[in-house]
Amino acid sequence: MINENVRHICGISGGKDSSALAIHLKNTRPEIFEKIELYFTDTGSELPEIYEYLGKMERYLGKKILRIKADPKTTDKYKIVTGEDQSNPFDELLVKYKGFLPAPNARWCTRELKIKTMEEWIGSDHCFSYVGIRADEPQREGYTAKGKNKKITAFFPFREDALALQDIYDILNSSGLGLPDYYKWRTRSGCYFCFYQRRVEWAILSKLYPDWFDEAKKYETEHADKRMYTWIKDKPLDYIKENAVDIISRYIKKQFKKVNMCDMVHNQDVALQMIAEGRYKEYIDSWDLKKLHDADGENKEGCTICAI
């Protein structure tokens, strides 16, 4: 029985779990899916692959994914984006925080750009929020709103249906959507300058998207208080850029000790040669780097709001 006086919402991050959840809801709970509001909180600093994947999802699901963006200078504090929008609320908020960059122990970006934006959009409405936390993630908790004017109750369909990581891959593959392309080189969704990126991912960003890497580098020097903050503890991005080939090569050597060679497209020598020759895109497109990432298991760092 569906409560007619409650809103049904499902946040889509562009990551594998939230994407698979939308598909799973459509396949297993059509009466809920018919009413559900799919939304994406846009930071203005997302990877282009995420926008491409959201477009594919909309076509597959036959339902619009509402794009919500923080708008700090307005009364509503958010806006609904349609079409092209180049605004970057992160830059506005960075002024508020006097150049202090977000970090794992100070995730103001998540709070300001994701959580508060979603809360302002919901207002005082009572909502059932469907969250893509799986049965094999007992340590993770879904967001539940606090305060008398906010009523958000989290539901976990994957847990209810006892679905784990391999089930998520099966859902995405059987739909024909597969994984978003950024999983070829990155372990999680999020902003291009996300501080949860591994060092090797920063190095690859410097090669695949040098302009974005340089933009991220600017944040390390341009602060209102003139102090130096870095995305990586004790290592400025200049260091990553100067040592990118070595960082990627060392990572490949380390991870190759952990993988089954039968699963790889290229052997270690070929992979290292491709990196030395600057054939990054060709190597990334083989999905071999994802297989090297997978040797460590799923990346559990980060927060529910950004990562799922």
Side-chain angles (χ1 to χ4, degrees):
M1 178 84 56
I2 296 180
N3 188 331
E4 297 293 340
N5 298 317
V6 72
R7 289 171 66 180
H8 297 259
I9 64 173
C10 178
I12 306 294
S13 69
K16 66 182 186 309
D17 293 323
S18 64
S19 301
L21 177 61
I23 297 169
H24 186 63
L25 288 172
K26 180 178 182 179
N27 292 341
T28 64
R29 295 161 174 81
E31 73 285 356
I32 290 176
F33 185 79
E34 182 181 351
K35 296 177 176 292
I36 209 160
E37 300 173 71
L38 303 176
Y39 71 93
F40 168 65
T41 43
D42 189 346
T43 64
S45 303
E46 310 288 340
L47 295 166
E49 294 98 326
I50 288 180
Y51 296 116
E52 294 168 7
Y53 196 72
L54 291 175
K56 292 179 181 178
M57 283 197 64
E58 286 182 328
R59 290 190 289 274
Y60 177 83
L61 296 170
K63 185 183 280 281
K64 186 72 176 174
I65 299 172
L66 197 64
R67 188 171 154 197
I68 309 167
K69 204 170 194 178
D71 201 2
K73 294 181 179 179
T74 66
T75 302
D76 290 337
K77 303 300 182 184
Y78 79 93
K79 61 182 174 181
I80 304 298
V81 175
T82 56
E84 198 71 23
D85 182 273
Q86 300 297 326
S87 63
N88 189 344
F90 179 83
D91 287 346
E92 297 179 32
L93 290 165
L94 192 60
V95 174
K96 171 184 173 181
Y97 285 89
K98 298 180 180 180
F100 178 71
L101 295 177
N105 62 345
R107 298 196 313 251
W108 63 257
C109 54
T110 301
R111 182 176 62 253
E112 297 278 1
L113 297 173
K114 295 284 186 176
I115 297 175
K116 284 189 177 180
T117 302
M118 180 262 288
E119 288 180 342
E120 293 293 344
W121 168 59
I122 289 172
S124 60
D125 293 344
H126 185 192
C127 291
F128 289 167
S129 177
Y130 299 86
V131 184
I133 296 179
R134 308 186 306 265
D136 58 347
E137 298 179 300
Q139 76 285 2
R140 299 185 75 177
E141 298 179 0
Y143 168 76
T144 300
K146 299 176 181 179
K148 62 181 181 180
N149 293 325
K150 296 180 177 65
K151 300 177 182 177
I152 302 176
T153 305
F155 289 89
F156 309 98
F158 289 155
R159 284 180 175 171
E160 293 171 10
D161 298 344
L163 300 186
L165 179 59
Q166 186 56 52
D167 298 302
I168 273 56
Y169 288 136
D170 291 343
I171 290 170
L172 293 173
N173 289 332
S174 64
S175 73
L177 291 173
L179 287 171
D181 279 349
Y182 69 80
Y183 277 111
K184 293 176 181 178
W185 62 278
R186 217 169 185 243
T187 51
R188 54 184 294 109
S189 59
C191 299
Y192 68 87
F193 49 66
C194 182
F195 46 81
Y196 277 119
Q197 287 184 99
R198 301 178 182 191
R199 194 167 296 190
V200 67
E201 293 171 32
W202 278 110
I204 293 168
L205 180 72
S206 75
K207 298 300 183 182
L208 292 184
Y209 299 108
D211 291 345
W212 281 12
F213 185 89
D214 289 342
E215 286 299 312
K217 192 152 64 79
K218 287 180 183 178
Y219 287 124
E220 295 189 324
T221 56
E222 297 179 358
H223 314 305
D225 62 4
K226 305 303 180 185
R227 285 186 289 175
M228 181 71 172
Y229 299 104
T230 58
W231 291 113
I232 302 172
K233 186 178 181 180
D234 302 326
K235 289 292 183 184
L237 290 186
D238 278 332
Y239 170 86
I240 302 295
K241 189 171 185 177
E242 291 166 6
N243 296 278
V245 173
D246 184 54
I247 290 170
I248 299 169
S249 298
R250 281 191 284 112
Y251 180 80
I252 288 173
K253 290 177 184 177
K254 182 186 76 169
Q255 296 302 100
F256 253 95
K257 298 175 182 178
K258 307 174 185 179
V259 298
N260 182 347
M261 281 299 301
C262 296
D263 296 333
M264 307 302 289
V265 176
H266 306 292
N267 63 39
Q268 178 176 307
D269 290 340
V270 172
L272 293 173
Q273 182 179 354
M274 294 173 78
I275 298 304
E277 294 174 354
R279 294 154 60 193
Y280 307 106
K281 185 68 165 59
E282 180 183 348
Y283 179 63
I284 295 301
D285 283 344
S286 71
W287 287 90
D288 268 6
L289 190 66
K290 181 186 185 304
K291 295 168 188 172
L292 296 183
H293 286 331
D294 287 350
D296 289 331
E298 190 179 19
N299 183 6
K300 293 293 185 181
E301 289 186 318
C303 58
T304 297
I305 299 295
C306 286
I308 66 169

